[in-house]
Amino acid sequence: MSRRELREQIFKLLFCVEFNDLSEMPQQAALFFEREAPMEDSDKNEIHEKYEKILAKKEELDGLLDEKASGWKVSRMGKVDLTILRLALFEMLYDEDVPVSVAINEAVELAKKFGQTESPSFVNGVLAKFAD
C-alpha cells in the first residue's frame, strides 16, 4: 500500500472517533479492518499504530488547533476537516519521516477528496500557521 493509501486509511479510522465513544473504538477498529479491502498485516499494523499515536495526542493537537485557527475552535470545525487537521498536525510535529510540506499537501488532497468545497483552503490555511 502506498503512503497516500495508508494515510487515507488512517484518516478513515480516525474519523470514526467523531461518532463513537472512545471505549467503543477497539471494536470499531476491528470492524473497520473487516470491512475495508483486504490488506497486508504490515499495513494494518502501520495504520493502527499511527491511529493510536494520534489518538494519544488528540487533546494536545486540539489545543494547538484552538490556539492557531483564528476565529475557529475545534468544537465548531467540520468533522472531516478536524480529522484531517489532526492527522496532518501529528505528522508535522511528531512524524520525522514526513516533511512538513508533504503533510500539508497530503492534507489538502484529503480535503479535496473527502471535504466540502472550502475544505482544501481551510485546511491549508490552518496548517500554514504551523509551518512558520
Side-chain angles (χ1 to χ4, degrees):
M1 192 175 283
S2 72
R3 284 184 168 277
R4 179 169 282 181
E5 292 169 324
L6 285 169
R7 186 176 285 106
E8 188 172 311
Q9 295 303 318
I10 295 164
F11 161 77
K12 289 177 182 178
L13 182 56
L14 196 58
F15 187 66
C16 294
V17 171
E18 294 300 313
F19 301 97
N20 296 283
D21 189 75
L22 287 179
S23 65
E24 299 170 338
M25 284 311 297
Q27 297 91 341
Q28 291 299 318
L31 288 171
F32 172 82
F33 287 114
E34 283 178 23
R35 72 176 177 257
E36 287 302 311
M39 61 180 81
E40 299 289 324
D41 284 342
S42 60
D43 291 337
K44 285 182 186 178
N45 291 338
E46 187 172 343
I47 291 165
H48 195 265
E49 182 179 313
K50 195 163 189 177
Y51 155 80
E52 289 288 339
K53 288 179 180 177
I54 295 168
L55 207 53
K57 299 276 188 190
K58 181 180 170 284
E59 298 303 319
E60 178 185 340
L61 297 170
D62 287 359
L64 292 169
L65 289 168
D66 275 340
E67 286 176 24
K68 294 272 190 171
S70 304
W72 287 91
K73 294 292 181 193
V74 294
S75 60
R76 290 187 51 229
M77 292 179 189
K79 292 178 183 343
V80 169
D81 295 347
L82 178 56
T83 303
I84 293 168
L85 288 169
R86 285 176 180 150
L87 172 57
L89 187 55
F90 176 85
E91 289 184 333
M92 292 169 71
L93 298 176
Y94 301 107
D95 193 335
E96 295 176 6
D97 294 334
V98 181
V100 170
S101 61
V102 171
I104 293 172
N105 183 63
E106 291 297 318
V108 170
E109 291 302 316
L110 284 171
K112 287 177 184 177
K113 186 170 184 173
F114 295 103
Q116 297 181 6
T117 306
E118 62 280 348
S119 293
S121 60
F122 175 73
V123 166
N124 187 56
V126 172
L127 294 175
K129 294 178 180 187
F130 290 95
D132 296 335

